[in-house]
Amino acid sequence: MSQLSISTGKRGRSVASSSAPTVSSLSSSTDLASLFECPVCFDYVLPPILQCQSGHLVCSNCRPKLNCCPTCRGPLGNIRNLAMEKVAGNVMFPCKYSTSGCTVSLVHTEKADHEDACEFRPYSCPCPGASCKWQGSLEQVMPHLVMSHKSITTLQGEDIVFLATDINLPGAVDWVMMQSCFGHHFMLVLEKQEKYDGHQQFFAIVQLIGSRKQAENFAYRLELNGHKRRLTWEAMPRSIHEGVSSAILNSDCLVFDTSIAQLFADNGNLGINVTISMA
């Protein structure tokens, strides 16, 4: 549970399982799924399914990019293939990340939601900002950060001080630091945003270089101390699969404005005490 406190002075999901399908039913479902392969990108053609005049299918992502049917070169109309849509409702489709190790197969109505949260989905670079477009496996994240983001400092230990320098710099600014403990790496992010009216806000959050399931094993505390005041935030770290954008958008992190920052800053530098613990 997240908690925010200021003083003067001192997420669940359950999945029902059924009996295991037989080998013949798995083979049949796999064979049926292959009938829905898009001839352009080899992803699956899922409802609503449109066909050309000769009955050939193409997926909804590829169709807007095509001027004619990729199979017969005939015109692409707006003819619904209701029979294939009905068949699709009874087919178990493999996750698009099956080549990366996911073994889940599911009905098409659940496929997109699963893939958005699939632990085998490629990880994006966790550094804030959109300048780095790198993607790769979880095991490749730290080597990428070490090689491509050498300016990021890593501190060892469960309790560290995250020092953000020059917090009075104008405009939007990001400060990033790594913390290593309990055999894992955590990324500490302090982001300053400038609103249209000139009002500035700071957002501080911790994310785990790991999966959502791994993140559930930890908790973190951020604390500002100084001048007989204390501002704290406690929460579960977010997985880098989730990123920090949605947390910042929903203020699900330590949030404070410029006036609060000045209460704790020292010559334009802000120290944030960071504590990682086992949940």
Side-chain angles (χ1 to χ4, degrees):
M1 178 179 295
S2 302
Q3 176 180 324
L4 176 65
S5 63
I6 184 169
S7 60
T8 58
K10 196 50 208 148
R11 298 180 258 243
R13 180 178 176 186
S14 60
V15 179
S17 61
S18 57
S19 58
T22 63
V23 173
S24 60
S25 67
L26 282 173
S27 175
S28 176
S29 184
T30 301
D31 292 342
L32 284 174
S34 67
L35 298 177
F36 291 84
E37 287 184 359
C38 173
V40 179
C41 67
F42 302 107
D43 199 356
Y44 292 106
V45 182
L46 301 178
I49 296 175
L50 300 178
Q51 65 173 52
C52 76
Q53 293 179 350
S54 298
H56 301 127
L57 311 179
V58 67
C59 77
S60 57
N61 288 330
C62 292
R63 195 173 183 278
K65 309 171 189 176
L66 301 172
N67 295 319
C68 62
C69 173
T71 303
C72 68
R73 301 300 176 184
L76 286 170
N78 291 311
I79 307 170
R80 288 276 295 274
N81 191 321
L82 300 179
M84 287 297 282
E85 288 185 10
K86 187 173 183 179
V87 173
N90 294 284
V91 175
M92 300 296 287
F93 292 93
C95 170
K96 69 187 297 183
Y97 303 117
S98 58
T99 55
S100 299
C102 184
T103 58
V104 173
S105 292
L106 56 168
V107 294
H108 73 84
T109 53
E110 299 175 357
K111 193 170 184 292
D113 287 342
H114 164 79
E115 290 169 350
D116 284 343
C118 180
E119 295 295 345
F120 292 91
R121 175 170 58 90
Y123 285 76
S124 299
C125 176
C127 288
S131 58
C132 185
K133 303 296 185 182
W134 178 89
Q135 285 190 330
S137 67
L138 177 58
E139 293 74 20
Q140 296 171 323
V141 174
M142 280 305 297
H144 162 73
L145 293 175
V146 171
M147 293 298 298
S148 301
H149 302 277
K150 298 179 180 179
S151 61
I152 300 177
T153 301
T154 300
L155 296 182
Q156 304 287 332
E158 303 165 25
D159 297 280
I160 65 149
V161 177
F162 178 13
L163 183 63
T165 59
D166 300 323
I167 64 169
N168 297 321
L169 287 172
V173 185
D174 295 307
W175 294 265
V176 180
M177 179 176 284
M178 298 296 299
Q179 181 175 357
S180 181
C181 59
F182 298 112
H184 287 80
H185 300 284
F186 300 83
M187 176 171 280
L188 323 175
V189 177
L190 176 65
E191 183 171 311
K192 182 174 74 169
Q193 295 183 357
E194 189 162 357
K195 307 301 181 182
Y196 295 110
D197 58 1
H199 180 70
Q200 295 180 335
Q201 275 191 309
F202 291 84
F203 303 86
I205 192 169
V206 174
Q207 54 182 340
L208 171 71
I209 310 298
S211 67
R212 292 181 179 89
K213 187 173 182 179
Q214 290 173 323
E216 293 174 357
N217 297 320
F218 300 97
Y220 74 92
R221 183 176 75 249
L222 302 178
E223 186 171 285
L224 301 179
N225 272 306
H227 309 293
K228 297 183 179 180
R229 295 178 178 85
R230 179 188 300 162
L231 179 66
T232 64
W233 167 267
E234 297 178 351
M236 184 185 80
R238 297 175 72 88
S239 163
I240 56 171
H241 242 173
E242 300 173 274
V244 298
S245 298
S246 62
I248 290 175
L249 181 64
N250 297 314
S251 296
D252 186 15
C253 54
L254 177 61
V255 184
F256 52 96
D257 60 18
T258 305
S259 60
I260 294 293
Q262 296 306 322
L263 291 175
F264 297 98
D266 182 14
N267 294 322
N269 301 322
L270 182 66
I272 304 176
N273 296 316
V274 186
T275 302
I276 307 293
S277 59
M278 299 293 292

